[in-house]
Amino acid sequence: MQTASLLSRALTVMAFVFTAGLLPAELSTWTNLDGQAMQAEFLARKGDSVSFRKDDGSTYLYPYAKLTEADRARVDALSKPASTTPAPPNASGTTTTAPAPAGKLAASLAGKLVVTKGDSLVPSSGERLGGARFIAVYYSAHWCPPCRAFTPELVKFYNKARTRRPELEFIFVSSDKNENAMAGYMREYKMPWPALRFDAKKSTPVLQRPAHERGIPNLVFMDADGKDLSTSFTPDGEYRGPSAVLADIEKQLKL
């Protein structure tokens, strides 16, 4: 533990040295609690995560709590509210803020997501999809035996993936017979992701699937604008299954 602590301190000191001039101006070194260092440009604090840009131009989110205390202090000093972006000065010369643009899919789901709380379903936080760059939509139902067999695997995958890729979020779309059945399914399998409100399915065309994809369980991997990246069905309607989509997610996000 002492060696790891010394390494972490040394790497943190190196961060300021590099920032002073050995790295390009936009890059600095960030260190996690395990003493691992990464070189990236700080972009913004997004809830419990921090947005960085790597030297290859790609961006990603990293858990704020996993950074060292010194680097969390740097984030606090550098960060701006994640839900706002600067706006030009108004007529009086003062500046205002405007909501940061969200992906088209996230925007279309505003106010339509729920999560379990005790025995009830309650509205999900409006910020739940705020930092999502990828969304996996899970079409499923408790009455479906293959769904019940796959759901524990999906929960395990989600819990592991979210620690490494907080920019990934899941959404459950229920094919249960009523809202009570949907809520019971979510509670029984401890689904940690939000769900589309039961009465909102018909009014949310962005999540409606084509005729050849009506079977369940169906997992659909999308970008933030709702573009399909992988589905449980081929374009010809052949069933690949949700496990094939998980493999595609692992490959895409390098999990």
Side-chain angles (χ1 to χ4, degrees):
M1 290 295 291
Q2 185 176 4
T3 301
S5 177
L6 290 173
L7 176 60
S8 177
R9 292 177 184 175
L11 288 170
T12 302
V13 172
M14 288 169 62
F16 292 98
V17 174
F18 279 125
T19 304
L22 295 182
L23 288 176
E26 69 274 13
L27 296 179
S28 60
T29 301
W30 302 85
T31 311
N32 67 18
L33 294 176
D34 296 324
Q36 298 172 325
M38 58 182 177
Q39 296 178 6
E41 175 191 1
F42 170 80
L43 296 179
R45 171 83 182 271
K46 296 179 179 290
D48 294 330
S49 302
V50 183
S51 176
F52 291 103
R53 180 185 290 116
K54 297 194 293 186
D55 56 3
D56 63 2
S58 62
T59 60
Y60 65 101
L61 295 178
Y62 192 81
Y64 172 82
K66 289 192 174 184
L67 293 171
T68 62
E69 182 177 356
D71 279 357
R72 291 198 298 271
R74 292 169 62 198
V75 168
D76 293 343
L78 294 170
S79 62
K80 297 178 180 180
S83 61
T84 61
T85 54
N90 57 28
S92 65
T94 60
T95 57
T96 58
T97 57
K104 294 178 182 178
L105 179 56
S108 69
L109 297 175
K112 295 183 178 182
L113 299 182
V114 294
V115 293
T116 57
K117 184 176 182 180
D119 294 332
S120 304
L121 292 176
V122 298
S124 174
S125 167
E127 298 180 356
R128 186 71 187 245
L129 297 180
R133 294 178 55 212
F134 302 98
I135 298 174
V137 184
Y138 182 42
Y139 300 84
S140 181
H142 186 272
W143 54 259
C144 165
C147 297
R148 295 198 304 273
F150 176 71
T151 299
E153 178 185 347
L154 191 62
V155 171
K156 182 178 180 180
F157 178 93
Y158 176 90
N159 289 332
K160 179 180 179 181
R162 283 277 292 180
T163 62
R164 298 186 60 187
R165 292 293 189 179
E167 70 270 33
L168 171 68
E169 186 56 274
F170 283 22
I171 296 172
F172 170 44
V173 177
S174 174
S175 294
D176 286 295
K177 296 180 179 179
N178 53 59
E179 184 178 281
N180 288 336
M182 166 184 158
Y185 185 22
M186 295 174 69
R187 288 194 303 270
E188 180 179 351
Y189 288 85
K190 297 180 173 61
M191 294 185 190
W193 50 76
L196 180 68
R197 203 175 63 236
F198 190 80
D199 63 358
K201 289 187 290 183
K202 292 183 179 179
S203 62
T204 313
V206 69
L207 293 184
Q208 294 175 8
R209 303 305 301 170
H212 70 275
E213 287 191 25
R214 297 293 170 81
I216 55 174
N218 182 12
L219 186 65
V220 181
F221 182 45
M222 304 178 179
D223 67 15
D225 289 326
K227 177 183 177 181
D228 289 355
L229 302 177
S230 177
T231 78
S232 302
F233 294 82
T234 68
D236 296 329
E238 181 180 353
Y239 188 59
R240 302 170 62 228
S243 294
V245 179
L246 289 186
D248 289 340
I249 295 175
E250 284 187 313
K251 183 177 180 180
Q252 172 83 19
L253 301 185
K254 299 179 181 180
L255 295 172

Short mmCIF file of all heavy atoms in Angstrom, two decimals, residues 17-83:
data_model
loop_
_atom_site.label_atom_id
_atom_site.label_comp_id
_atom_site.label_asym_id
_atom_site.label_seq_id
_atom_site.Cartn_x
_atom_site.Cartn_y
_atom_site.Cartn_z
N VAL A 17 4.46 18.53 -13.79
CA VAL A 17 5.67 18.75 -14.57
C VAL A 17 5.36 18.71 -16.06
O VAL A 17 5.75 19.57 -16.83
CB VAL A 17 6.75 17.69 -14.23
CG1 VAL A 17 7.95 17.82 -15.16
CG2 VAL A 17 7.19 17.84 -12.78
N PHE A 18 4.60 17.69 -16.46
CA PHE A 18 4.24 17.57 -17.86
C PHE A 18 3.38 18.74 -18.30
O PHE A 18 3.55 19.29 -19.39
CB PHE A 18 3.47 16.25 -18.10
CG PHE A 18 4.37 15.05 -18.23
CD1 PHE A 18 4.18 13.96 -17.40
CD2 PHE A 18 5.40 15.03 -19.15
CE1 PHE A 18 5.00 12.84 -17.51
CE2 PHE A 18 6.22 13.92 -19.26
CZ PHE A 18 6.03 12.83 -18.44
N THR A 19 2.45 19.14 -17.43
CA THR A 19 1.58 20.26 -17.77
C THR A 19 2.38 21.54 -17.98
O THR A 19 2.02 22.40 -18.76
CB THR A 19 0.54 20.47 -16.65
OG1 THR A 19 -0.17 19.26 -16.48
CG2 THR A 19 -0.44 21.56 -17.03
N ALA A 20 3.50 21.61 -17.28
CA ALA A 20 4.30 22.82 -17.36
C ALA A 20 4.99 22.99 -18.70
O ALA A 20 5.47 24.06 -19.02
CB ALA A 20 5.35 22.81 -16.25
N GLY A 21 5.10 21.88 -19.50
CA GLY A 21 5.71 22.13 -20.80
C GLY A 21 6.21 20.93 -21.55
O GLY A 21 6.56 21.04 -22.72
N LEU A 22 6.28 19.72 -20.93
CA LEU A 22 6.81 18.57 -21.64
C LEU A 22 5.78 17.92 -22.53
O LEU A 22 6.12 17.19 -23.45
CB LEU A 22 7.35 17.54 -20.64
CG LEU A 22 8.56 18.03 -19.82
CD1 LEU A 22 9.04 16.92 -18.91
CD2 LEU A 22 9.69 18.49 -20.74
N LEU A 23 4.50 18.12 -22.25
CA LEU A 23 3.42 17.59 -23.08
C LEU A 23 2.84 18.74 -23.90
O LEU A 23 2.99 19.90 -23.54
CB LEU A 23 2.31 17.00 -22.19
CG LEU A 23 2.64 15.66 -21.50
CD1 LEU A 23 1.48 15.29 -20.59
CD2 LEU A 23 2.91 14.56 -22.50
N PRO A 24 2.13 18.41 -25.01
CA PRO A 24 1.42 19.47 -25.72
C PRO A 24 0.50 20.20 -24.75
O PRO A 24 0.01 19.64 -23.78
CB PRO A 24 0.62 18.68 -26.77
CG PRO A 24 1.42 17.45 -26.99
CD PRO A 24 2.02 17.11 -25.66
N ALA A 25 0.24 21.46 -25.03
CA ALA A 25 -0.46 22.32 -24.08
C ALA A 25 -1.81 21.77 -23.63
O ALA A 25 -2.22 21.97 -22.50
CB ALA A 25 -0.65 23.70 -24.70
N GLU A 26 -2.52 21.04 -24.52
CA GLU A 26 -3.86 20.60 -24.18
C GLU A 26 -3.87 19.28 -23.40
O GLU A 26 -4.89 18.86 -22.90
CB GLU A 26 -4.71 20.45 -25.43
CG GLU A 26 -4.32 19.30 -26.35
CD GLU A 26 -3.25 19.70 -27.33
OE1 GLU A 26 -2.64 20.77 -27.14
OE2 GLU A 26 -3.00 18.93 -28.29
N LEU A 27 -2.73 18.61 -23.28
CA LEU A 27 -2.67 17.32 -22.61
C LEU A 27 -2.05 17.47 -21.23
O LEU A 27 -1.19 18.31 -20.99
CB LEU A 27 -1.85 16.32 -23.42
CG LEU A 27 -2.38 15.92 -24.80
CD1 LEU A 27 -1.43 14.95 -25.45
CD2 LEU A 27 -3.77 15.33 -24.69
N SER A 28 -2.48 16.60 -20.31
CA SER A 28 -1.84 16.51 -19.01
C SER A 28 -1.97 15.07 -18.53
O SER A 28 -2.67 14.27 -19.14
CB SER A 28 -2.46 17.49 -18.00
OG SER A 28 -3.83 17.22 -17.83
N THR A 29 -1.28 14.75 -17.46
CA THR A 29 -1.31 13.38 -16.94
C THR A 29 -2.29 13.29 -15.78
O THR A 29 -2.28 14.13 -14.87
CB THR A 29 0.09 12.96 -16.46
OG1 THR A 29 1.01 13.05 -17.56
CG2 THR A 29 0.08 11.53 -15.94
N TRP A 30 -3.13 12.27 -15.82
CA TRP A 30 -4.14 12.04 -14.78
C TRP A 30 -3.89 10.66 -14.19
O TRP A 30 -3.58 9.72 -14.90
CB TRP A 30 -5.55 12.12 -15.37
CG TRP A 30 -5.81 13.45 -16.00
CD1 TRP A 30 -5.51 13.85 -17.27
CD2 TRP A 30 -6.41 14.58 -15.38
NE1 TRP A 30 -5.87 15.15 -17.49
CE2 TRP A 30 -6.43 15.63 -16.34
CE3 TRP A 30 -6.92 14.83 -14.10
CZ2 TRP A 30 -6.96 16.89 -16.06
CZ3 TRP A 30 -7.46 16.07 -13.82
CH2 TRP A 30 -7.47 17.09 -14.79
N THR A 31 -4.05 10.55 -12.88
CA THR A 31 -3.70 9.32 -12.17
C THR A 31 -4.90 8.79 -11.40
O THR A 31 -5.62 9.56 -10.76
CB THR A 31 -2.54 9.59 -11.19
OG1 THR A 31 -1.50 10.29 -11.87
CG2 THR A 31 -1.98 8.28 -10.64
N ASN A 32 -5.11 7.45 -11.45
CA ASN A 32 -6.20 6.88 -10.68
C ASN A 32 -5.69 6.33 -9.35
O ASN A 32 -4.49 6.37 -9.05
CB ASN A 32 -6.95 5.81 -11.49
CG ASN A 32 -6.11 4.57 -11.76
OD1 ASN A 32 -5.10 4.33 -11.13
ND2 ASN A 32 -6.55 3.78 -12.73
N LEU A 33 -6.60 5.80 -8.56
CA LEU A 33 -6.25 5.36 -7.21
C LEU A 33 -5.34 4.14 -7.20
O LEU A 33 -4.74 3.81 -6.18
CB LEU A 33 -7.53 5.07 -6.41
CG LEU A 33 -8.41 6.29 -6.12
CD1 LEU A 33 -9.68 5.86 -5.42
CD2 LEU A 33 -7.66 7.32 -5.29
N ASP A 34 -5.24 3.44 -8.33
CA ASP A 34 -4.33 2.30 -8.44
C ASP A 34 -2.94 2.70 -8.91
O ASP A 34 -2.08 1.85 -9.12
CB ASP A 34 -4.91 1.25 -9.41
CG ASP A 34 -6.21 0.67 -8.92
OD1 ASP A 34 -6.34 0.49 -7.69
OD2 ASP A 34 -7.10 0.39 -9.74
N GLY A 35 -2.72 4.01 -9.11
CA GLY A 35 -1.42 4.48 -9.55
C GLY A 35 -1.21 4.45 -11.04
O GLY A 35 -0.12 4.69 -11.53
N GLN A 36 -2.28 4.13 -11.80
CA GLN A 36 -2.17 4.09 -13.25
C GLN A 36 -2.35 5.50 -13.80
O GLN A 36 -3.23 6.24 -13.37
CB GLN A 36 -3.23 3.16 -13.84
CG GLN A 36 -3.08 1.72 -13.38
CD GLN A 36 -4.25 0.86 -13.81
OE1 GLN A 36 -5.38 1.30 -13.86
NE2 GLN A 36 -3.96 -0.39 -14.14
N ALA A 37 -1.49 5.88 -14.75
CA ALA A 37 -1.52 7.23 -15.31
C ALA A 37 -2.02 7.21 -16.75
O ALA A 37 -1.84 6.24 -17.48
CB ALA A 37 -0.12 7.85 -15.25
N MET A 38 -2.65 8.29 -17.14
CA MET A 38 -3.13 8.44 -18.51
C MET A 38 -2.91 9.88 -18.94
O MET A 38 -2.96 10.80 -18.13
CB MET A 38 -4.62 8.08 -18.62
CG MET A 38 -5.53 8.91 -17.71
SD MET A 38 -7.25 8.40 -17.84
CE MET A 38 -8.01 9.49 -16.61
N GLN A 39 -2.63 10.06 -20.21
CA GLN A 39 -2.43 11.40 -20.76
C GLN A 39 -3.66 11.78 -21.57
O GLN A 39 -4.03 11.08 -22.52
CB GLN A 39 -1.17 11.44 -21.64
CG GLN A 39 0.10 11.16 -20.87
CD GLN A 39 1.32 11.16 -21.77
OE1 GLN A 39 1.22 11.46 -22.95
NE2 GLN A 39 2.47 10.81 -21.21
N ALA A 40 -4.29 12.87 -21.19
CA ALA A 40 -5.53 13.27 -21.85
C ALA A 40 -5.80 14.74 -21.56
O ALA A 40 -5.25 15.34 -20.64
CB ALA A 40 -6.70 12.41 -21.37
N GLU A 41 -6.69 15.30 -22.37
CA GLU A 41 -7.14 16.67 -22.19
C GLU A 41 -8.44 16.67 -21.39
O GLU A 41 -9.39 15.95 -21.74
CB GLU A 41 -7.37 17.34 -23.54
CG GLU A 41 -7.96 18.74 -23.45
CD GLU A 41 -8.43 19.26 -24.79
OE1 GLU A 41 -8.32 18.53 -25.80
OE2 GLU A 41 -8.93 20.40 -24.83
N PHE A 42 -8.51 17.42 -20.33
CA PHE A 42 -9.75 17.56 -19.56
C PHE A 42 -10.77 18.35 -20.37
O PHE A 42 -10.45 19.40 -20.94
CB PHE A 42 -9.46 18.27 -18.24
CG PHE A 42 -10.71 18.68 -17.51
CD1 PHE A 42 -11.42 17.78 -16.75
CD2 PHE A 42 -11.17 19.99 -17.59
CE1 PHE A 42 -12.58 18.16 -16.09
CE2 PHE A 42 -12.32 20.38 -16.93
CZ PHE A 42 -13.03 19.46 -16.16
N LEU A 43 -12.01 17.85 -20.42
CA LEU A 43 -13.07 18.56 -21.13
C LEU A 43 -14.11 19.13 -20.18
O LEU A 43 -14.41 20.32 -20.21
CB LEU A 43 -13.75 17.61 -22.15
CG LEU A 43 -12.87 17.10 -23.29
CD1 LEU A 43 -13.67 16.16 -24.18
CD2 LEU A 43 -12.31 18.26 -24.10
N ALA A 44 -14.70 18.25 -19.33
CA ALA A 44 -15.76 18.73 -18.44
C ALA A 44 -16.07 17.68 -17.39
O ALA A 44 -15.75 16.50 -17.56
CB ALA A 44 -17.03 19.06 -19.23
N ARG A 45 -16.66 18.11 -16.31
CA ARG A 45 -17.22 17.22 -15.29
C ARG A 45 -18.66 16.94 -15.67
O ARG A 45 -19.44 17.85 -15.93
CB ARG A 45 -17.15 17.89 -13.92
CG ARG A 45 -17.90 17.16 -12.79
CD ARG A 45 -17.09 16.06 -12.18
NE ARG A 45 -17.86 15.36 -11.15
CZ ARG A 45 -17.90 15.70 -9.87
NH1 ARG A 45 -17.19 16.75 -9.45
NH2 ARG A 45 -18.61 14.99 -9.00
N LYS A 46 -19.03 15.64 -15.77
CA LYS A 46 -20.39 15.25 -16.13
C LYS A 46 -20.96 14.36 -15.03
O LYS A 46 -20.80 13.15 -15.06
CB LYS A 46 -20.39 14.51 -17.48
CG LYS A 46 -19.93 15.35 -18.66
CD LYS A 46 -19.94 14.53 -19.94
CE LYS A 46 -19.51 15.36 -21.14
NZ LYS A 46 -20.50 16.35 -21.51
N GLY A 47 -21.59 14.99 -14.04
CA GLY A 47 -22.15 14.22 -12.94
C GLY A 47 -21.05 13.52 -12.16
O GLY A 47 -20.13 14.14 -11.64
N ASP A 48 -21.12 12.19 -12.10
CA ASP A 48 -20.13 11.40 -11.37
C ASP A 48 -18.96 10.99 -12.25
O ASP A 48 -18.14 10.17 -11.86
CB ASP A 48 -20.78 10.13 -10.79
CG ASP A 48 -21.81 10.47 -9.72
OD1 ASP A 48 -21.63 11.50 -9.05
OD2 ASP A 48 -22.77 9.70 -9.55
N SER A 49 -18.88 11.53 -13.46
CA SER A 49 -17.82 11.17 -14.39
C SER A 49 -17.11 12.42 -14.90
O SER A 49 -17.62 13.54 -14.77
CB SER A 49 -18.40 10.39 -15.58
OG SER A 49 -19.07 9.22 -15.15
N VAL A 50 -15.94 12.20 -15.47
CA VAL A 50 -15.15 13.29 -16.05
C VAL A 50 -14.92 12.98 -17.52
O VAL A 50 -14.58 11.84 -17.88
CB VAL A 50 -13.79 13.44 -15.34
CG1 VAL A 50 -13.03 14.63 -15.91
CG2 VAL A 50 -13.99 13.61 -13.84
N SER A 51 -15.14 13.96 -18.37
CA SER A 51 -14.96 13.78 -19.81
C SER A 51 -13.54 14.19 -20.20
O SER A 51 -13.08 15.27 -19.84
CB SER A 51 -15.98 14.65 -20.57
OG SER A 51 -15.76 14.57 -21.96
N PHE A 52 -12.85 13.28 -20.91
CA PHE A 52 -11.49 13.52 -21.37
C PHE A 52 -11.40 13.32 -22.89
O PHE A 52 -12.21 12.61 -23.48
CB PHE A 52 -10.50 12.54 -20.72
CG PHE A 52 -10.29 12.75 -19.25
CD1 PHE A 52 -10.90 11.93 -18.32
CD2 PHE A 52 -9.47 13.77 -18.79
CE1 PHE A 52 -10.70 12.10 -16.97
CE2 PHE A 52 -9.27 13.96 -17.43
CZ PHE A 52 -9.87 13.13 -16.51
N ARG A 53 -10.38 13.93 -23.49
CA ARG A 53 -10.05 13.67 -24.89
C ARG A 53 -8.62 13.15 -24.95
O ARG A 53 -7.70 13.77 -24.42
CB ARG A 53 -10.17 14.93 -25.75
CG ARG A 53 -9.82 14.67 -27.23
CD ARG A 53 -9.83 15.94 -28.07
NE ARG A 53 -11.18 16.46 -28.24
CZ ARG A 53 -11.61 17.63 -27.77
NH1 ARG A 53 -10.76 18.41 -27.10
NH2 ARG A 53 -12.84 18.03 -27.96
N LYS A 54 -8.43 11.97 -25.58
CA LYS A 54 -7.10 11.38 -25.71
C LYS A 54 -6.36 12.02 -26.87
O LYS A 54 -6.92 12.78 -27.66
CB LYS A 54 -7.22 9.88 -25.91
CG LYS A 54 -7.85 9.16 -24.71
CD LYS A 54 -7.64 7.67 -24.77
CE LYS A 54 -8.39 7.04 -25.93
NZ LYS A 54 -8.30 5.57 -25.91
N ASP A 55 -5.07 11.70 -26.98
CA ASP A 55 -4.24 12.32 -28.01
C ASP A 55 -4.62 11.90 -29.42
O ASP A 55 -4.24 12.54 -30.39
CB ASP A 55 -2.75 12.06 -27.78
CG ASP A 55 -2.42 10.58 -27.69
OD1 ASP A 55 -3.34 9.75 -27.87
OD2 ASP A 55 -1.24 10.25 -27.44
N ASP A 56 -5.40 10.80 -29.56
CA ASP A 56 -5.86 10.39 -30.88
C ASP A 56 -7.17 11.07 -31.28
O ASP A 56 -7.74 10.79 -32.33
CB ASP A 56 -6.02 8.87 -30.96
CG ASP A 56 -7.07 8.33 -30.00
OD1 ASP A 56 -7.72 9.14 -29.29
OD2 ASP A 56 -7.25 7.10 -29.94
N GLY A 57 -7.67 11.96 -30.41
CA GLY A 57 -8.88 12.70 -30.71
C GLY A 57 -10.16 12.10 -30.17
O GLY A 57 -11.20 12.73 -30.17
N SER A 58 -10.11 10.85 -29.69
CA SER A 58 -11.31 10.20 -29.15
C SER A 58 -11.63 10.74 -27.76
O SER A 58 -10.73 11.15 -27.02
CB SER A 58 -11.11 8.69 -29.08
OG SER A 58 -10.05 8.36 -28.21
N THR A 59 -12.90 10.77 -27.42
CA THR A 59 -13.33 11.24 -26.11
C THR A 59 -13.97 10.10 -25.33
O THR A 59 -14.49 9.16 -25.91
CB THR A 59 -14.34 12.39 -26.25
OG1 THR A 59 -15.49 11.93 -26.97
CG2 THR A 59 -13.74 13.58 -26.97
N TYR A 60 -13.90 10.19 -24.01
CA TYR A 60 -14.49 9.17 -23.17
C TYR A 60 -14.75 9.73 -21.79
O TYR A 60 -14.22 10.79 -21.43
CB TYR A 60 -13.59 7.94 -23.09
CG TYR A 60 -12.26 8.19 -22.40
CD1 TYR A 60 -12.05 7.81 -21.09
CD2 TYR A 60 -11.21 8.81 -23.07
CE1 TYR A 60 -10.84 8.04 -20.46
CE2 TYR A 60 -10.00 9.05 -22.45
CZ TYR A 60 -9.82 8.66 -21.14
OH TYR A 60 -8.62 8.89 -20.53
N LEU A 61 -15.57 9.01 -21.01
CA LEU A 61 -15.88 9.40 -19.64
C LEU A 61 -15.14 8.49 -18.67
O LEU A 61 -14.99 7.29 -18.93
CB LEU A 61 -17.38 9.31 -19.37
CG LEU A 61 -18.28 10.26 -20.16
CD1 LEU A 61 -19.74 10.00 -19.82
CD2 LEU A 61 -17.93 11.71 -19.88
N TYR A 62 -14.68 9.06 -17.56
CA TYR A 62 -13.97 8.27 -16.55
C TYR A 62 -14.57 8.60 -15.18
O TYR A 62 -14.91 9.76 -14.90
CB TYR A 62 -12.48 8.63 -16.55
CG TYR A 62 -11.65 7.66 -15.74
CD1 TYR A 62 -11.26 6.45 -16.27
CD2 TYR A 62 -11.29 7.96 -14.42
CE1 TYR A 62 -10.52 5.55 -15.53
CE2 TYR A 62 -10.56 7.07 -13.67
CZ TYR A 62 -10.18 5.86 -14.22
OH TYR A 62 -9.45 4.96 -13.48
N PRO A 63 -14.77 7.58 -14.32
CA PRO A 63 -15.37 7.84 -13.01
C PRO A 63 -14.56 8.84 -12.18
O PRO A 63 -13.37 8.63 -11.95
CB PRO A 63 -15.39 6.45 -12.35
CG PRO A 63 -15.37 5.48 -13.49
CD PRO A 63 -14.52 6.13 -14.55
N TYR A 64 -15.20 9.89 -11.74
CA TYR A 64 -14.56 10.93 -10.93
C TYR A 64 -13.96 10.34 -9.65
O TYR A 64 -12.84 10.68 -9.26
CB TYR A 64 -15.62 11.99 -10.59
CG TYR A 64 -15.18 13.05 -9.61
CD1 TYR A 64 -14.44 14.15 -10.02
CD2 TYR A 64 -15.54 12.97 -8.26
CE1 TYR A 64 -14.07 15.15 -9.13
CE2 TYR A 64 -15.18 13.95 -7.36
CZ TYR A 64 -14.44 15.04 -7.79
OH TYR A 64 -14.08 16.01 -6.90
N ALA A 65 -14.68 9.41 -9.02
CA ALA A 65 -14.25 8.85 -7.74
C ALA A 65 -12.99 8.01 -7.86
O ALA A 65 -12.33 7.74 -6.84
CB ALA A 65 -15.38 8.02 -7.12
N LYS A 66 -12.63 7.58 -9.06
CA LYS A 66 -11.45 6.73 -9.24
C LYS A 66 -10.17 7.53 -9.46
O LYS A 66 -9.08 6.94 -9.54
CB LYS A 66 -11.67 5.74 -10.39
CG LYS A 66 -12.68 4.66 -10.07
CD LYS A 66 -12.65 3.54 -11.10
CE LYS A 66 -13.56 2.40 -10.70
NZ LYS A 66 -13.48 1.27 -11.65
N LEU A 67 -10.29 8.85 -9.57
CA LEU A 67 -9.10 9.68 -9.68
C LEU A 67 -8.50 9.93 -8.30
O LEU A 67 -9.20 9.83 -7.29
CB LEU A 67 -9.45 11.02 -10.33
CG LEU A 67 -9.88 10.98 -11.80
CD1 LEU A 67 -10.40 12.35 -12.22
CD2 LEU A 67 -8.74 10.54 -12.70
N THR A 68 -7.21 10.26 -8.26
CA THR A 68 -6.59 10.58 -6.98
C THR A 68 -7.20 11.86 -6.41
O THR A 68 -7.84 12.64 -7.13
CB THR A 68 -5.07 10.81 -7.15
OG1 THR A 68 -4.86 11.92 -8.03
CG2 THR A 68 -4.39 9.58 -7.70
N GLU A 69 -6.99 12.07 -5.12
CA GLU A 69 -7.54 13.26 -4.47
C GLU A 69 -7.01 14.53 -5.14
O GLU A 69 -7.75 15.50 -5.34
CB GLU A 69 -7.17 13.27 -2.99
CG GLU A 69 -7.74 14.44 -2.21
CD GLU A 69 -7.42 14.39 -0.73
OE1 GLU A 69 -6.82 13.38 -0.30
OE2 GLU A 69 -7.76 15.35 -0.02
N ALA A 70 -5.73 14.52 -5.51
CA ALA A 70 -5.14 15.70 -6.14
C ALA A 70 -5.79 15.97 -7.49
O ALA A 70 -6.07 17.12 -7.84
CB ALA A 70 -3.63 15.50 -6.31
N ASP A 71 -6.04 14.90 -8.26
CA ASP A 71 -6.63 15.10 -9.58
C ASP A 71 -8.10 15.46 -9.48
O ASP A 71 -8.63 16.19 -10.33
CB ASP A 71 -6.44 13.84 -10.44
CG ASP A 71 -5.05 13.79 -11.05
OD1 ASP A 71 -4.29 14.76 -10.86
OD2 ASP A 71 -4.72 12.80 -11.73
N ARG A 72 -8.79 14.98 -8.44
CA ARG A 72 -10.18 15.41 -8.25
C ARG A 72 -10.22 16.90 -7.93
O ARG A 72 -11.14 17.61 -8.36
CB ARG A 72 -10.84 14.60 -7.13
CG ARG A 72 -11.07 13.14 -7.49
CD ARG A 72 -12.11 12.49 -6.58
NE ARG A 72 -11.70 12.48 -5.18
CZ ARG A 72 -10.99 11.53 -4.61
NH1 ARG A 72 -10.60 10.48 -5.34
NH2 ARG A 72 -10.66 11.58 -3.33
N ALA A 73 -9.22 17.36 -7.19
CA ALA A 73 -9.16 18.79 -6.89
C ALA A 73 -8.92 19.59 -8.17
O ALA A 73 -9.49 20.67 -8.36
CB ALA A 73 -8.04 19.06 -5.88
N ARG A 74 -8.09 19.05 -9.08
CA ARG A 74 -7.87 19.72 -10.36
C ARG A 74 -9.16 19.79 -11.16
O ARG A 74 -9.48 20.81 -11.78
CB ARG A 74 -6.80 18.96 -11.16
CG ARG A 74 -5.41 19.03 -10.57
CD ARG A 74 -4.48 18.06 -11.26
NE ARG A 74 -4.33 18.37 -12.67
CZ ARG A 74 -3.86 17.52 -13.58
NH1 ARG A 74 -3.53 16.28 -13.22
NH2 ARG A 74 -3.73 17.88 -14.84
N VAL A 75 -9.91 18.68 -11.15
CA VAL A 75 -11.18 18.65 -11.87
C VAL A 75 -12.13 19.69 -11.29
O VAL A 75 -12.80 20.44 -12.03
CB VAL A 75 -11.81 17.25 -11.80
CG1 VAL A 75 -13.27 17.28 -12.29
CG2 VAL A 75 -11.02 16.26 -12.63
N ASP A 76 -12.20 19.76 -9.97
CA ASP A 76 -13.10 20.72 -9.33
C ASP A 76 -12.75 22.15 -9.73
O ASP A 76 -13.63 23.00 -9.91
CB ASP A 76 -13.03 20.58 -7.81
CG ASP A 76 -13.60 19.25 -7.32
OD1 ASP A 76 -14.32 18.61 -8.10
OD2 ASP A 76 -13.30 18.87 -6.18
N ALA A 77 -11.44 22.41 -9.85
CA ALA A 77 -11.01 23.76 -10.19
C ALA A 77 -11.26 24.10 -11.66
O ALA A 77 -11.52 25.24 -12.01
CB ALA A 77 -9.53 23.93 -9.87
N LEU A 78 -11.19 23.07 -12.51
CA LEU A 78 -11.31 23.31 -13.95
C LEU A 78 -12.72 23.15 -14.49
O LEU A 78 -13.05 23.67 -15.56
CB LEU A 78 -10.39 22.33 -14.71
CG LEU A 78 -8.88 22.49 -14.51
CD1 LEU A 78 -8.15 21.30 -15.13
CD2 LEU A 78 -8.40 23.78 -15.14
N SER A 79 -13.56 22.40 -13.77
CA SER A 79 -14.84 22.01 -14.35
C SER A 79 -15.86 23.13 -14.35
O SER A 79 -15.81 24.05 -13.53
CB SER A 79 -15.41 20.80 -13.61
OG SER A 79 -15.64 21.11 -12.26
N LYS A 80 -16.79 23.01 -15.28
CA LYS A 80 -17.95 23.87 -15.37
C LYS A 80 -19.17 22.97 -15.30
O LYS A 80 -19.07 21.77 -15.55
CB LYS A 80 -17.95 24.66 -16.68
CG LYS A 80 -16.76 25.61 -16.83
CD LYS A 80 -16.81 26.32 -18.16
CE LYS A 80 -15.63 27.26 -18.31
NZ LYS A 80 -15.66 27.96 -19.62
N PRO A 81 -20.36 23.50 -14.99
CA PRO A 81 -21.55 22.66 -14.94
C PRO A 81 -21.71 21.87 -16.22
O PRO A 81 -21.69 22.43 -17.32
CB PRO A 81 -22.69 23.65 -14.74
CG PRO A 81 -22.05 24.82 -14.06
CD PRO A 81 -20.66 24.90 -14.65
N ALA A 82 -21.87 20.53 -16.10
CA ALA A 82 -21.96 19.69 -17.29
C ALA A 82 -23.23 19.91 -18.07
O ALA A 82 -23.31 19.60 -19.24
CB ALA A 82 -21.87 18.21 -16.88
N SER A 83 -24.27 20.45 -17.42
CA SER A 83 -25.56 20.60 -18.10
C SER A 83 -25.67 21.90 -18.87
O SER A 83 -26.71 22.19 -19.45
CB SER A 83 -26.69 20.53 -17.08
OG SER A 83 -26.55 21.59 -16.14
#
